[in-house]
Amino acid sequence: MDHNDFWRSIVPDPFKPLTAHVLGFLILPFLVPVKPPSIRFFRDRLIRYLVPFWWVLTMAAALYYLMFQSGRDISTVIFDWFMAATVGSAFLVKASSGFYYLWFLPSLAGLVITLTFYQSLNRSWQRVCTVLLLCCHVAITAFPGMLLKYVPFGFMIVLWVFPLGLLMRWAVSDGNIYRARLLILAAFICSYVYLVLIGKNLEIMTLDLKPIADPLLFFLQDLNAISGVLVLMWLATKLNKLRFLNLFGKHSLMVYLLHPLIFLLGFKILGLSTASLGNGQLLTAAALSVTLTALVTLGIALGIARIPIARIWLTPKGWDDWGPVLLAQNWKSSFQQQGGS
């Protein structure tokens, strides 16, 4: 719904301060066992996150060029793609593909790498790093915007997220937090409604956040994000018997990567326009488009998962599962067999 033009035309304000769903995905690495740092681990994680990012970025950039930028010099288009593929910031991804949302996987890779190094430190150094990271979280809006744009793997976003991830790790393991779930639900609803009513826009991907100089809004944006993630996690425990919803969860990576592209293609192919539709038509179009986008995207995700050649080339689990590596190994085996014969 957040990436749907119809819904944003009908109710734009509720999406402006909505950050819990984004933060929730970034916090997940804090809630699973972390492996010790090694070249193999980092290599596998980079392949797992960047390969899907690269091919969806390439597809989006090609569509963006054909549909909106066919008059641009092709060398500029290739350069924009290269910068987006190597740095992965929201600004560079937007310039290449027309979409912001693809920033997420490079930032997730950067977060996992940073968390792995943090976990390898002894307790004393972890405390020192936690204090430094907390200072970065508080002062993140004071950092130069060029750092967010050109530092790879969303490292500036990682600095902001990290203290919240550590806080969430403690919260999910503390029984008192669960016992206070109704209070936390109330905190989420009240903070979210207030942020919507005053029309505040919050964006993690561009660090469009409120500074500590505005202490009330600074506190509310963190309170809303953390309480929202907890509410969503508890809601998930109530909905986990819905097999259809679990199917979306299992394939959430590809659903996330593909759904804006699917919506855009449908929007353009059907020649729809939000300006030409009345309120009732907008609501109908919004509901139908969300449903169809979700179903089509899930169908593609299932196809990729169940077709071996698509899975190893598009969504490998690690280095040894990646198509080029498997292909090189097959060639090597063939040459060795020919040499032996």
Side-chain angles (χ1 to χ4, degrees):
M1 293 171 67
D2 193 16
H3 293 150
N4 185 289
D5 290 351
F6 298 120
W7 279 113
R8 281 189 164 270
S9 296
I10 299 169
V11 284
D13 290 338
F15 295 104
K16 291 180 180 179
L18 191 62
T19 58
H21 61 308
V22 178
L23 182 63
F25 278 110
L26 290 171
I27 279 177
L28 286 177
F30 291 88
L31 307 182
V32 297
V34 179
K35 295 183 178 181
S38 67
I39 297 298
R40 181 182 180 86
F41 174 78
F42 292 138
R43 184 182 65 185
D44 285 345
R45 287 303 182 272
L46 288 175
I47 291 297
R48 179 180 298 186
Y49 297 135
L50 294 185
V51 168
F53 164 69
W54 284 333
W55 75 261
V56 176
L57 172 69
T58 302
M59 184 168 60
L63 289 173
Y64 187 48
Y65 173 74
L66 293 173
M67 296 173 67
F68 302 106
Q69 293 192 314
S70 56
R72 290 187 69 198
D73 182 69
I74 192 66
S75 62
T76 304
V77 173
I78 294 173
F79 177 77
D80 285 346
W81 174 88
F82 175 79
M83 291 298 296
T86 53
V87 177
S89 70
F91 304 100
L92 297 177
V93 166
K94 170 71 172 177
S96 174
S97 67
F99 292 105
Y100 279 116
Y101 79 100
L102 291 172
W103 66 273
F104 178 78
L105 279 179
S107 295
L108 184 60
L111 180 61
V112 170
I113 291 171
T114 305
L115 179 60
T116 303
F117 279 121
Y118 174 87
Q119 289 295 114
S120 69
L121 301 174
N122 61 40
R123 288 294 180 87
S124 297
W125 278 110
Q126 283 187 5
R127 292 190 185 99
V128 172
C129 288
T130 300
V131 172
L132 293 175
L133 288 163
L134 187 59
C135 291
C136 290
H137 177 85
V138 169
I140 198 68
T141 57
F143 283 78
M146 296 295 284
L147 292 178
L148 177 63
K149 185 174 182 178
Y150 291 110
V151 173
F153 298 116
F155 188 65
M156 302 304 296
I157 295 172
V158 172
L159 294 179
W160 181 81
V161 167
F162 214 94
L164 300 181
L166 296 177
L167 178 62
M168 182 61 67
R169 175 187 286 176
W170 164 79
V172 298
S173 62
D174 190 291
N176 292 321
I177 297 298
Y178 181 73
R179 284 189 285 271
R181 59 190 180 279
L182 294 180
L183 180 61
I184 292 173
L185 174 61
F188 170 65
I189 293 173
C190 291
S191 59
Y192 178 64
V193 169
Y194 179 77
L195 291 169
V196 170
L197 290 177
I198 64 175
K200 289 299 177 183
N201 188 71
L202 303 174
E203 288 288 355
I204 294 175
M205 65 182 178
T206 57
L207 292 180
D208 181 11
L209 302 165
K210 303 310 167 190
I212 190 64
D214 191 342
L216 175 61
L217 289 180
F218 177 84
F219 170 74
L220 286 178
Q221 73 184 4
D222 281 9
L223 175 66
N224 178 253
I226 287 293
S227 60
V229 174
L230 286 170
V231 168
L232 289 173
M233 290 175 66
W234 291 330
L235 180 62
T237 66
K238 304 299 181 183
L239 301 176
N240 65 358
K241 293 182 181 179
L242 299 177
R243 295 178 62 187
F244 189 65
L245 188 62
N246 283 332
L247 196 59
F248 274 98
K250 183 178 180 180
H251 299 281
S252 58
L253 173 63
M254 293 314 304
V255 171
Y256 170 79
L257 285 174
L258 294 175
H259 78 269
L261 284 174
I262 299 301
F263 172 78
L264 175 66
L265 288 174
F267 191 82
K268 292 298 181 182
I269 290 171
L270 296 176
L272 298 174
S273 171
T274 56
S276 63
L277 300 177
N279 290 337
Q281 293 172 317
L282 266 177
L283 186 60
T284 302
L288 287 175
S289 61
V290 166
T291 303
L292 290 174
T293 298
L295 292 175
V296 171
T297 307
L298 179 62
I300 296 173
L302 287 170
I304 292 173
R306 294 176 181 178
I307 300 173
I309 192 170
R311 187 172 64 249
I312 63 176
W313 282 90
L314 305 181
T315 58
K317 295 297 183 183
W319 175 264
D320 293 334
D321 301 317
W322 190 24
V325 175
L326 292 174
L327 190 62
Q329 290 175 347
N330 290 336
W331 284 346
K332 182 179 179 180
S333 298
S334 297
F335 289 140
Q336 289 176 341
Q337 290 175 0
Q338 290 175 0
S341 60

